[in-house]
Amino acid sequence: MVQKESMKPRGRPRQFDRETALDAMREVFWNKGYAATSLDDLCEAAGLNRPSLYNAFGDKGQVFLGVLDAYVAAVRPRYEAAFRAPGNLRQVMKGIFRTAADIYRVMDKDGGRGCLLIGAALTDATRDPHVGEAILTQLQDMEKGFLWLFARAKADGDLPAHADPKTLAKLASSVHTALSVRMRAGEPPESLRAYVEAMIDLICPLPAQASPSV
């Protein structure tokens, strides 16, 4: 009598959840960086074997792009709310950078890792053009957000007539990127706050106080 071969499950396990797997793999990329993350690391985090990982997400670059898309989808509404918040320009800008710092902390369980894009894959952008393109797109989108904000502020009289929204947008988006780098490097929150406030003072200085009467 021929014994029947036991049937082994193939493909993804039944409990596989794509969002949970992406979250777990995001943590690996964020902690180790893109280059240092191996397929075995990703398989362990997602609870998948290699064939199942490839079937669900593709190769390592495609996995990272999937993680990046999920990350952007999670943080974009918070940024949009910060950019459209009521208040004068100074208040809105402080809210935007406070949101950035909160995102880096809330989505980070072990300290200041900064932005996923900057911390995990920026140094590998030249090795993988698709990853580099994805990062550049997000950086440009942030600059466009600041351009919209400053153009609106100028139209509302919250910036002087000679102000150049395009130049200011480049400055603000550059500081936003630098905030991520400084946070990941371990700069104290007080120093980061002073760094951001110096930029805000440069873009929209406080009105000079009247000299005390003699």
Side-chain angles (χ1 to χ4, degrees):
M1 179 177 179
V2 179
Q3 187 176 5
K4 292 184 179 180
E5 184 180 356
S6 59
M7 298 297 292
K8 296 182 179 179
R10 296 182 179 182
R12 300 177 225 160
R14 291 185 179 181
Q15 68 272 21
F16 170 80
D17 180 82
R18 183 178 180 86
E19 183 176 347
T20 300
L22 285 171
D23 287 346
M25 292 188 290
R26 182 195 68 211
E27 293 300 305
V28 179
F29 279 123
W30 220 338
N31 282 326
K32 301 186 70 171
Y34 181 80
T37 296
S38 67
L39 283 174
D40 288 339
D41 293 330
L42 297 174
C43 288
E44 182 179 357
L48 300 171
N49 57 33
R50 285 201 179 197
S52 297
L53 185 76
Y54 278 113
N55 182 53
F57 300 102
D59 61 19
K60 176 180 169 180
Q62 291 172 311
V63 171
F64 181 77
L65 293 178
V67 166
L68 181 59
D69 286 344
Y71 171 79
V72 171
V75 303
R76 184 182 294 276
R78 298 182 63 180
Y79 274 114
E80 289 179 346
F83 272 92
R84 297 181 180 277
N88 60 38
L89 182 58
R90 288 184 64 88
Q91 293 169 333
V92 173
M93 289 186 67
K94 286 185 177 182
I96 291 169
F97 282 92
R98 192 181 306 115
T99 295
D102 287 346
I103 286 171
Y104 301 157
R105 283 192 293 265
V106 168
M107 300 191 75
D108 175 15
K109 302 176 179 62
D110 304 311
R113 287 180 295 184
C115 177
L116 173 67
L117 285 72
I118 306 302
L122 187 60
T123 56
D124 299 284
T126 57
R127 303 177 196 175
D128 190 324
H130 298 294
V131 171
E133 182 181 356
I135 294 173
L136 180 59
T137 296
Q138 298 307 319
L139 294 176
Q140 290 173 335
D141 282 350
M142 181 60 66
E143 185 174 322
K144 290 176 183 176
F146 279 114
L147 177 58
W148 172 85
L149 177 67
F150 295 140
R152 187 187 68 171
K154 184 175 180 179
D156 292 343
D158 214 1
L159 279 175
H162 65 269
D164 181 2
K166 188 174 182 179
T167 300
L168 296 179
K170 290 184 179 298
L171 172 61
S173 60
S174 296
V175 171
H176 179 268
T177 301
L179 176 68
S180 172
V181 176
R182 286 169 174 259
M183 178 177 284
R184 190 172 179 89
E187 186 165 345
E190 315 82 59
S191 179
L192 291 172
R193 194 176 303 112
Y195 175 67
V196 170
E197 288 180 355
M199 180 270 299
I200 294 176
D201 288 342
L202 184 64
I203 291 178
C204 42
L206 292 168
Q209 293 184 352
S211 301
S213 57
V214 179

